[in-house]
Amino acid sequence: MVLERDARGTSEVRNVTPHKLAILLSGRGSNFVAIHEAIRRGDLEAEICCVVSNVPEAAGLARARDFGLTALSLPSRGIERTEYDRLLLGALRPCAPDLVCLAGFMRVLSPVFLAEYRNRVLNIHPALLPSFPGLHAQRQALDYGVKVTGCTVHLVDEGVDTGPILLQRAVPVLEGDTEESLSGRILEQEHDLYWRAIALVLGRMDRGRGEGRGARA
Ligand code: GRF
């Protein structure tokens, strides 16, 4: 149920089922928490249907449990990539997510997974792609000596950080920056960027279906 107000303050109740997001993570999960917050604030019209981690002890999974969300541990150690992705597809199927949001998920998804969620998997990367893909993007930026880096939300394809770019935010590299200080400033921007990119994709999906929802900001 969504309460809308027009310019005269007249309210209208629409019976809309929110879009469902599945979150995949492997670690602390601050991007997941930021998405959860955006939904709670009412900035992002969606619901998190499940949070899955390939690392059972991931802090993000514990946060998901604290929030009362469906939180699944699906350990990946020792499991071949395609086989794992089939397990992952099976775990997601009951919740039928509209989008799958990678939030520090430290695995490359296989073609088997992407075939089922073509153009519906998003990732956030701590650099201005196509610069500095892969691991330790902030360190790569410092080592290269760039003066501006940032973060990117993109659709996931079969490559590593190669999919179509949705949104980017620039972050200046400051004199004396360490990997930690730079990562912290980029992370702040990630938290404000990811939910906006999700809203953008949901809005596009709705327009494709002739509806109009996704973001309130
Ligand atoms: C973020 O820097 C994100 O860009 C990258 O992995 C990190 C995840 O951080 N893909 P968190 O687990 O969301 O705090």
Side-chain angles (χ1 to χ4, degrees):
M1 216 70 118
V2 172
L3 188 65
E4 303 246 296
R5 280 185 205 288
D6 64 18
R8 282 169 302 183
T10 315
S11 54
E12 177 202 338
V13 176
R14 287 190 297 135
N15 204 353
V16 173
T17 316
H19 286 293
K20 292 196 271 184
L21 311 178
I23 309 276
L24 306 188
L25 55 79
S26 304
R28 77 191 151 188
S30 70
N31 276 289
F32 147 61
V33 172
I35 294 166
H36 182 264
E37 287 286 300
I39 294 172
R40 197 191 47 77
R41 288 194 307 269
D43 284 341
L44 176 62
E45 212 177 281
E47 69 178 21
I48 296 173
C49 62
C50 66
V51 177
V52 184
S53 179
N54 65 314
V55 177
E57 58 279 6
L61 202 57
R63 296 295 299 273
R65 290 197 192 99
D66 292 345
F67 293 144
L69 297 170
T70 302
L72 306 173
S73 165
L74 191 64
S76 56
R77 186 168 293 173
I79 305 179
E80 188 273 325
R81 188 156 75 109
T82 307
E83 192 190 338
Y84 182 79
D85 283 3
R86 286 190 208 284
L87 295 173
L88 197 52
L89 286 169
L92 294 182
R93 230 165 256 137
C95 116
D98 296 290
L99 294 183
V100 176
C101 303
L102 310 187
F105 186 61
M106 303 304 284
R107 292 181 63 81
V108 176
L109 292 167
S110 64
V112 165
F113 187 93
L114 294 172
E116 194 157 325
Y117 288 98
R118 177 66 54 198
N119 292 329
R120 293 195 293 140
V121 184
L122 278 66
N123 182 43
I124 187 154
H125 182 75
L128 293 177
L129 291 171
S131 295
F132 313 127
L135 296 174
H136 308 300
Q138 304 93 332
R139 193 191 306 161
Q140 290 185 57
L142 285 172
D143 288 348
Y144 202 94
V146 293
K147 302 301 176 203
V148 177
T149 183
C151 47
T152 303
V153 182
H154 64 97
L155 292 174
V156 174
D157 65 8
E158 280 77 7
V160 175
D161 303 321
T162 51
I165 290 170
L166 294 165
L167 289 179
Q168 291 188 306
R169 184 81 55 84
V171 174
V173 179
L174 304 180
E175 200 65 39
D177 250 340
T178 61
E179 192 179 347
E180 197 185 10
S181 62
L182 180 59
S183 300
R185 287 204 317 286
I186 294 173
L187 195 63
E188 270 177 40
Q189 298 306 316
E190 292 182 37
H191 294 165
D192 186 58
L193 194 69
Y194 207 168
W195 69 265
R196 293 177 192 274
I198 294 168
L200 184 75
V201 174
L202 293 178
R204 282 182 192 167
M205 283 170 64
D206 284 344
R207 279 192 295 282
R209 293 181 196 147
E211 297 167 31
R213 61 200 166 116
R216 302 196 152 267

